[in-house]
Amino acid sequence: MTPTHTITVPSESEGARLDQFLVTVLPQSRSQIQRLIKDGHVMVAGRPAKANQPVKAGQAVAVDVPAPVDAVPEPEALPLPILYQDRDIIVVDKPAGMVVHPAAGHTSGTLVNALLHHVHDLSGIGGEKRPGIVHRLDRGTSGLMVVAKHDAAHEELARQFHDREVEKEYIALVWGEVMAGRRIDLPIGRDPGDRKKMSARARRSREAVTRITKAEHFGRTLTLAHLAIHTGRTHQIRVHLSAIGHPVVGDPVYGGVHRRVPGDLRAVTHLNRPFLHAARLAFTHPVDGRRLEFESPLPDDLQRVLDELTEQIHGDRL
């Protein structure tokens, strides 16, 4: 991280909370300072900082202030597969590599930019940067998302997600042999050593439950797993599978990229993202009460890898 500001703590600030000290030397508000700390943009003595930690005289505090994001995202004519649309909601099949909403480092090319081009009556309840967004998928994850087109729909869908009435199922290729029926019940929180990662060993964590519903094994080396999540924590599936020793293949953050793989597994080296796809989404229509269910097949990049693995590993049985 290249800091925008490097500040040496003066003797008169000895013992002050970090966020309170930074408010006195930077033009940001305390809430802005706390957000910078939470997002990992503040380092003290070369280590990620906490808002409430006391500072010591002579310490070096490095603060990286990201470039501001435009207040209102611009519509962009980006390809966006739309599976369903009415006056209340829109269901899309998000491509891998697309960030859901604008943020520092991703001011364009997001799902929101695409939605603003394709849809002219998005809910404003998510704020100017996140209109209509009720839930998210990681940048590298493809698959199904529902977006609200007005505030009443947004509030009802948010309630369904909160009350765990929405069914979300994913397909993942994971390392090792994992069995169907396994339930992973591990709380998830922000990794204290890396603010961009999540962890199942964080002190401050929230309940998270993932269930493996189906499993197809490629020897004892790989498993094609179908997973249902009962909560929607950030990076949940990736963190849970890594925590039990079966990381998602192709996931560079949580241990899913192996430098050396046997020849019959060479197909996995073609992946440029985690093998994770949101394949099924079911919820109740927020206005008319119909139960809606959508499915999305594996995208071409993941299907090619799976086909090649099947041919290499199971070819002698075909």
Side-chain angles (χ1 to χ4, degrees):
M1 179 179 77
T2 302
T4 305
H5 305 278
T6 301
I7 304 150
T8 301
V9 179
S11 57
E12 59 266 26
S13 296
E14 173 86 32
R17 279 177 55 120
L18 175 62
D19 55 352
Q20 294 174 339
F21 165 66
L22 289 177
V23 167
T24 67
V25 294
L26 293 175
Q28 277 77 27
S29 68
R30 186 173 177 184
S31 62
Q32 290 172 324
I33 292 292
Q34 290 174 335
R35 170 57 64 180
L36 288 172
I37 295 172
K38 183 178 180 181
D39 291 344
H41 295 294
V42 179
M43 308 283 280
V44 175
R47 303 185 66 179
K50 296 182 180 179
N52 63 352
Q53 72 182 68
V55 297
K56 299 177 182 179
Q59 276 184 330
V61 180
V63 183
D64 174 39
V65 182
V69 178
D70 291 338
V72 181
E74 293 293 326
E76 296 180 38
L78 303 170
L80 182 64
I82 297 174
L83 276 63
Y84 175 84
Q85 182 175 189
D86 61 23
R87 67 179 64 185
D88 306 305
I89 60 172
I90 178 171
V91 177
V92 302
D93 200 343
K94 185 188 85 68
M98 178 178 276
V99 175
V100 169
H101 55 74
H106 301 286
T107 57
S108 63
T110 72
L111 177 65
V112 165
N113 295 109
L115 285 168
L116 289 172
H117 171 78
H118 292 281
V119 183
H120 302 293
D121 51 352
L122 281 182
S123 161
I125 203 170
E128 289 181 330
K129 297 176 186 176
R130 307 180 184 185
I133 300 301
V134 185
H135 64 126
R136 294 185 295 175
L137 292 177
D138 298 337
R139 179 183 183 180
T141 303
S142 53
L144 298 168
M145 289 184 63
V146 59
V147 177
K149 294 180 71 175
H150 56 75
D151 290 358
H154 195 293
E155 291 174 357
E156 169 56 18
L157 287 171
R159 184 202 65 77
Q160 291 183 39
F161 275 97
H162 178 269
D163 293 346
R164 303 179 185 177
E165 297 175 7
V166 179
E167 297 175 35
K168 296 170 285 184
E169 295 184 8
Y170 294 73
I171 298 174
L173 186 68
V174 307
W175 290 105
E177 188 178 23
V178 62
M179 298 302 176
R182 183 162 186 177
R183 175 185 169 96
I184 309 167
D185 189 348
L186 294 172
I188 290 175
R190 188 71 59 178
D191 189 317
D194 185 344
R195 302 298 296 174
K196 295 182 180 180
K197 292 177 61 176
M198 306 300 288
S199 173
R201 296 185 300 273
R203 290 183 180 179
R204 295 182 179 180
S205 56
R206 301 172 68 190
E207 178 191 11
V209 178
T210 302
R211 194 164 48 87
I212 299 171
T213 59
K214 292 170 57 178
E216 177 187 349
H217 301 110
F218 294 85
R220 304 192 67 179
T221 310
L222 294 169
T223 301
L224 185 69
H226 291 243
L227 308 108
I229 62 172
H230 299 274
T231 50
R233 309 302 178 210
T234 301
H235 300 179
Q236 176 173 323
I237 289 176
R238 298 161 62 194
V239 171
H240 269 176
L241 289 170
S242 179
I244 65 170
H246 300 286
V248 176
V249 175
D251 187 347
V253 177
Y254 297 104
V257 174
H258 294 186
R259 292 183 178 180
R260 296 179 181 178
V261 296
D264 57 353
L265 304 182
R266 194 180 305 112
V268 303
T269 63
H270 302 158
L271 288 167
N272 56 15
R273 54 116 164 183
F275 194 118
L276 182 60
H277 179 66
R280 179 176 173 271
L281 180 67
F283 57 92
T284 300
H285 192 285
V287 176
D288 63 30
R290 287 176 296 144
R291 189 66 177 173
L292 300 177
E293 180 176 344
F294 300 91
E295 294 187 358
S296 168
L298 284 176
D300 290 345
D301 64 327
L302 301 187
Q303 189 63 54
R304 281 195 297 270
V305 170
L306 188 60
D307 289 345
E308 188 172 334
L309 285 173
T310 301
E311 182 178 352
Q312 289 292 326
I313 297 175
H314 297 323
D316 56 337
R317 305 178 192 174
L318 300 178

